[in-house]
Amino acid sequence: MDKRQLKKIKEAVLKKKTLVFDQLNKKQKTKVFKFSESYKDFLNQAKTEREAAKLIVQIAKNKGFVDIDTLSTKKSKTGKKVYKIFQDRCVALAILGKEKIVSGANIIASHIDSPRLDLKQNPVYEDLSMGLMKTHYYGGIRKYHWLAVPLALHGTIITSNNETINITIGEDPDDPVFTVTDLLPHLAGKTQANKKISEVFEGEKLNLIAGSIPLGNDKEKERFKLGVLNLLFEKYNLIEEDFVSAEIEAVPAEKARDVGFDRSMIGSYGQDDRICAYTSLEAILDTQHPDKTSIALCFDKEEIGSEGSSGAQSSFLEDFMSDLLFISGQNTDNRSLRKTLINSSCLSADVNAAMDPDFKDVHEAMNAAKLGFGICMTKFTGVAGKAGSSDASAEFVGKIRQIFNNNKIIWQTGELGKIDQGGGGTVAKFLAKSGMNVLDCGPAILSMHSPFEVSSKADVYMAYLGYKAFYSDND
Ligand code: MN
Ligand code: MN
């Protein structure tokens, strides 16, 4: 066989792996970098699920979306843009399609909660002449990531007379921050050297330093705790009991930054999964008069198993679907709702793990996602023998593959680590329960669940384009 023939065969049969930056012309590259600027702004403004939900609604409202709960009309028409916010932390946006909703919607489902340290309900105490606050971590964290870094407090407090107080402390450069201290290396040897990593870092030792000036003289008991509480009272009118009905989250105080000499990557807290929330938001905002109803869902509680009334296991989607059927004057009976769900298609928009140059051995190189190779389709997640995964059908993966290819979306596939290495899950299996087709699909990132997750700007942009193509072309 001559060289030319061989080349022809290779081109015909071999699967291509495409680096996004190899394919972009100057104009496209400019778009990629411009898009990532607004993405970074979003990350900086939305560090908690409540902040993300609020911001998403605000952006959507500016683009003509209206609160579905205020619509009593049954005459909403094609192209109508609506949103629903539930418990201030779970959001859905939709654009009514030309087809009846019962023929199915195109759904992109992400989550807007991220791992963090929550303040406990009785947090303030003192030790060694310092005021401190106890935390309880939320989601899967590497505990040592949270030591010796500046942390900001974001939260909502319901007072005894039912007032809502929102606080953000540590984001303004003039604000104080909080921190969990770490043991100095000089003294770590004996206590830590021979311990397992899971034993070295204890959840009960993730306590925040909150002050060191006492209230009253040294005859006073707990005067450092009093010092902290007094400031909270003076500044925010808070009393100790208020923490009982509060959700206060300690999150990294840093802002999203460009990473690398070439600024090709973004480093930030909370990219899992606000990277998908933001890209699907932008995708739906850019969708006009779709054939099928387009829906962007942003769930809460994914990081703790999609539980609770605002997680993907709740009836939020069903309720929203019922509302959509109602406002468009269609049947809202149970059978119609079931049909709507079963006829729908869903991209479970979540991150996958990009192969890490320093930890290659936890991945299987042929099937691992890599930074910069486009949006990643993950057919199944789960652990061991795909346990806990909904495993997308060949038919649905085929459909998405075609949509991406037809729209010149650069994509790759991924698995979450080597077989039997570990694993994880997403909202996919909870949505699949209702019968709809679901495929995990989102960018791959480095340092997932750390305070500084790293994404490729090219992948962020491909996710946006991929989601947009799904809304416009999945029929
Ligand atoms: Mn996630
Ligand atoms: Mn996660």
Side-chain angles (χ1 to χ4, degrees):
M1 194 177 290
D2 68 28
K3 267 190 178 171
R4 233 188 48 216
Q5 236 178 327
L6 190 69
K7 197 181 162 204
K8 236 175 150 182
I9 293 174
K10 276 164 113 178
E11 257 165 35
V13 304
L14 288 179
K15 179 166 168 278
K16 287 165 196 71
K17 277 205 167 169
T18 315
L19 181 75
V20 180
F21 278 118
D22 274 342
Q23 299 299 310
L24 299 176
N25 60 33
K26 214 175 159 196
K27 212 172 142 195
Q28 290 166 317
K29 223 167 159 182
T30 309
K31 279 187 184 169
V32 167
F33 280 82
K34 202 178 155 208
F35 188 88
S36 67
E37 289 306 306
S38 49
Y39 171 47
K40 283 188 289 177
D41 285 343
F42 181 84
L43 288 170
N44 292 338
Q45 287 178 64
K47 288 197 174 181
T48 67
E49 59 280 23
R50 283 173 191 266
E51 289 167 359
K54 201 172 163 188
L55 186 57
I56 288 166
V57 166
Q58 189 192 314
I59 295 170
K61 269 170 127 174
N62 289 341
K63 295 273 181 160
F65 284 72
V66 295
D67 186 348
I68 197 164
D69 293 320
T70 63
L71 295 175
S72 52
T73 168
K74 292 184 175 183
K75 286 178 189 153
S76 291
K77 296 228 164 58
T78 304
K80 181 85 184 170
K81 297 170 178 180
V82 292
Y83 73 84
K84 187 181 182 83
I85 180 163
F86 184 61
Q87 293 187 345
D88 294 337
R89 54 169 108 222
C90 177
V91 195
L93 308 178
I95 305 176
L96 293 182
K98 290 173 193 147
E99 290 173 26
K100 287 198 161 185
I101 302 168
V102 76
S103 70
N106 288 329
I107 302 167
I108 300 180
S110 61
H111 67 92
I112 46 177
D113 62 317
S114 294
R116 66 203 183 226
L117 304 180
D118 286 338
L119 286 198
K120 289 196 185 196
Q121 267 37 69
N122 298 299
V124 188
Y125 70 106
E126 70 170 54
D127 202 356
L128 294 175
S129 310
M130 270 185 291
L132 295 133
M133 292 191 289
K134 296 207 72 65
T135 71
H136 195 137
Y137 67 93
Y138 171 98
I141 62 164
R142 311 264 282 161
K143 297 187 187 90
Y144 64 80
H145 282 159
W146 295 80
L147 308 178
V149 291
L151 298 169
L153 294 179
H154 293 232
T156 298
I157 302 114
I158 309 300
T159 65
S160 60
N161 44 14
N162 211 26
E163 256 180 81
T164 302
I165 299 174
N166 291 311
I167 57 159
T168 310
I169 313 165
E171 294 296 342
D172 191 282
D174 290 335
D175 279 355
V177 293
F178 306 86
T179 194
V180 180
T181 52
D182 195 6
L183 185 57
L184 62 167
H186 317 65
L187 302 179
K190 240 185 182 162
T191 45
Q192 295 187 337
N194 299 318
K195 276 190 184 168
K196 281 196 229 157
I197 200 165
S198 57
E199 289 161 4
V200 170
F201 305 102
E202 294 170 45
E204 286 296 355
K205 289 190 175 173
L206 298 175
N207 301 313
L208 298 172
I209 289 186
S212 65
I213 301 177
L215 193 72
N217 61 33
D218 57 6
K219 302 234 165 30
E220 204 64 53
K221 269 190 188 168
E222 297 200 300
R223 58 197 190 114
F224 291 93
K225 174 179 169 176
L226 268 179
V228 170
L229 287 173
N230 181 52
L231 282 173
L232 284 167
F233 186 67
E234 277 180 2
K235 194 141 192 230
Y236 305 100
N237 215 15
L238 289 178
I239 58 170
E240 193 177 12
E241 198 182 283
D242 289 332
F243 287 103
V244 170
S245 47
E247 291 169 5
I248 303 174
E249 308 176 9
V251 298
E254 307 294 336
K255 301 265 183 273
R257 302 291 296 266
D258 287 344
V259 175
F261 289 117
D262 56 10
R263 298 175 174 268
S264 59
M265 294 161 281
I266 296 168
S268 171
Y269 167 70
Q271 297 204 67
D272 173 9
D273 183 33
R274 292 176 201 129
I275 195 170
C276 294
Y278 182 72
T279 46
S280 59
L281 167 69
E282 288 296 330
I284 201 167
L285 295 180
D286 281 353
T287 299
Q288 303 292 338
H289 296 282
D291 289 335
K292 283 197 185 286
T293 295
S294 307
I295 298 179
L297 288 171
C298 300
F299 284 113
D300 176 31
K301 299 281 187 282
E302 193 277 341
E303 297 294 358
I304 56 167
S306 298
E307 311 284 349
S309 47
S310 51
Q313 296 200 62
S314 73
S315 58
F316 179 65
L317 174 59
E318 279 94 324
D319 298 339
F320 186 58
M321 285 286 205
S322 294
D323 292 344
L324 289 174
L325 288 168
F326 176 77
I327 62 155
S328 52
Q330 297 172 44
N331 246 329
T332 55
D333 58 31
N334 191 51
R335 187 165 174 270
S336 304
L337 175 60
R338 291 290 139 211
K339 286 225 174 301
T340 306
L341 289 165
I342 208 165
N343 288 334
S344 291
S345 305
C346 177
L347 294 183
S348 161
D350 209 340
V351 295
N352 198 333
M355 203 160 168
D356 186 319
D358 281 327
F359 300 100
K360 279 186 208 143
D361 49 333
V362 299
H363 298 280
E364 185 268 288
M366 276 173 63
N367 286 285
K370 289 169 196 80
L371 211 68
F373 284 80
I375 187 168
C376 174
M377 295 197 277
T378 305
K379 188 172 178 295
F380 55 86
T381 58
V383 295
K386 305 192 181 182
S389 162
S390 52
D391 203 357
S393 70
E395 288 85 348
F396 190 54
V397 180
K399 217 171 163 193
I400 301 304
R401 177 183 152 206
Q402 276 177 44
I403 292 170
F404 284 177
N405 285 342
N406 291 342
N407 287 279
K408 298 201 163 54
I409 306 301
I410 299 172
W411 56 271
Q412 56 178 329
T413 62
E415 264 190 72
L416 189 58
K418 253 182 194 168
I419 297 173
D420 294 336
Q421 185 74 44
T426 62
V427 300
K429 63 173 177 178
F430 306 117
L431 293 155
K433 267 186 179 175
S434 62
M436 68 178 71
N437 276 311
V438 185
L439 172 65
D440 277 300
C441 193
I445 61 172
L446 292 167
S447 300
M448 192 198 292
H449 283 204
S450 80
F452 198 68
E453 301 173 313
V454 175
S455 64
S456 157
K457 290 183 177 177
D459 295 340
V460 174
Y461 195 66
M462 276 303 146
Y464 155 69
L465 292 182
Y467 294 153
K468 213 164 77 164
F470 172 71
Y471 282 139
S472 60
D473 276 17
N474 184 50
D475 39 35

